[in-house]
Amino acid sequence: MLEEQLKKEVAEFAKLVWDRKLTDGTGGNMSIKYGEKIYITPTSTIKHFLTEKDIITIDKNGNKIDGLKKPSSEKKMHIKIYEKANDVNAVIHAHPMYATSFAITFEKLPINALPESSLVLDPITYIPYQMPGTQEFADAFNEGLEKGSRVFVLQNHGVTVAGKDMNEAYVKLETLEFLAQVSFVSKLYSNVNEIPEEKIAAFKEFFRRNKVDQ
């Protein structure tokens, strides 16, 4: 029963990401880790139509345990993140338009432009282009993960976010794309003014002490 619930959760969030136009075509992949198993989206599928029956179960080495299709070609990235980050139990890789535009220009996002983005996204790691699906691509996450980053902008590719659960990972994705959108629009009108570091630090401390709901 638990396994079915986890697969259903992966499918539902995959559908949500696609329906919210946070990825394109068959692009993107999502997973949840539970114990020694990883529940991951299949390759080459439109996420809107996924159900729990489509989700693939793999082990920590990437071997398929069950499922009708092949697991995502990005499974090595998911495995690497789970291997390096014990606090992570959910990973989303997607191609949201505005954040991916920043991935193509490889310009850093103004993370302190909004209090929420400074709290949810910090620190963002920017990974130079690596061929998707390769071990080299997966290994490129090592340094950022060791520094505590759970948000990654992938040059000429897209973005990856990770969280303690799928809700947290999804919030990071939405926040990242919103920051990219408002940054783009702000530049059209004028420029992006970031909140001073000392005020960001004060906001984070206030949030920590009071556990303010976002």
Side-chain angles (χ1 to χ4, degrees):
M1 183 63 72
L2 176 59
E3 190 165 276
E4 291 178 2
Q5 291 175 346
L6 293 170
K7 288 183 176 182
K8 183 178 180 181
E9 185 174 359
V10 174
E12 287 178 342
F13 273 92
K15 184 179 186 298
L16 178 61
V17 168
W18 197 91
D19 288 350
R20 291 282 291 166
K21 300 186 184 303
L22 294 170
T23 201
D24 60 314
T26 61
N29 36 81
M30 303 84 191
S31 72
I32 289 176
K33 178 180 75 71
Y34 187 82
E36 296 297 309
K37 295 180 179 180
I38 298 170
Y39 304 95
I40 191 167
T41 51
T43 188
S44 303
T45 56
I46 297 173
K47 306 304 181 288
H48 173 81
F49 300 107
L50 286 177
T51 70
E52 58 267 32
K53 294 180 181 179
D54 298 305
I55 305 305
I56 312 301
T57 307
I58 60 174
D59 64 21
K60 62 182 180 180
N61 297 313
N63 301 308
K64 187 168 79 169
I65 297 172
D66 68 46
L68 299 175
K69 300 179 181 179
K70 292 182 179 180
S72 170
S73 60
E74 304 279 22
K75 65 181 182 180
K76 291 178 181 178
M77 173 189 67
H78 292 253
I79 292 168
K80 173 62 67 174
I81 293 172
Y82 292 132
E83 176 186 292
K84 289 287 185 177
N86 292 330
D87 61 305
V88 169
N89 296 300
V91 174
I92 300 174
H93 167 65
H95 309 149
M97 184 173 71
Y98 286 88
T100 300
S101 295
F102 276 84
I104 291 172
T105 63
F106 218 42
E107 178 183 354
K108 290 189 176 181
L109 286 152
I111 194 169
N112 290 340
L114 298 167
E116 293 81 4
S117 61
S118 71
L119 184 68
V120 174
L121 305 178
D122 191 29
I124 299 175
T125 291
Y126 297 80
I127 297 181
Y129 179 80
Q130 299 286 342
M131 186 182 297
T134 62
Q135 189 60 51
E136 290 75 15
F137 172 60
D139 290 342
F141 284 78
N142 281 335
E143 185 175 353
L145 289 166
E146 289 170 359
K147 291 181 178 180
S149 183
R150 300 295 181 259
V151 179
F152 303 87
V153 174
L154 316 173
Q155 187 176 26
N156 293 94
H157 187 171
V159 302
T160 295
V161 295
K164 64 182 180 182
D165 53 31
M166 194 60 83
N167 281 299
E168 184 174 275
Y170 180 78
V171 168
K172 291 180 188 294
L173 179 62
E174 282 264 16
T175 304
L176 182 65
E177 176 64 356
F178 183 71
L179 174 63
Q181 289 176 355
V182 297
S183 299
F184 176 83
V185 174
S186 296
K187 286 184 178 182
L188 291 179
Y189 287 99
S190 179
N191 59 359
V192 179
N193 297 311
E194 293 194 66
I195 302 167
E197 285 287 350
E198 63 272 16
K199 293 188 176 181
I200 287 293
F203 170 72
K204 289 181 177 179
E205 178 62 17
F206 172 78
F207 188 94
R208 185 187 68 80
R209 287 177 179 272
N210 296 279
K211 296 182 179 179
V212 178
D213 291 331
Q214 295 181 58

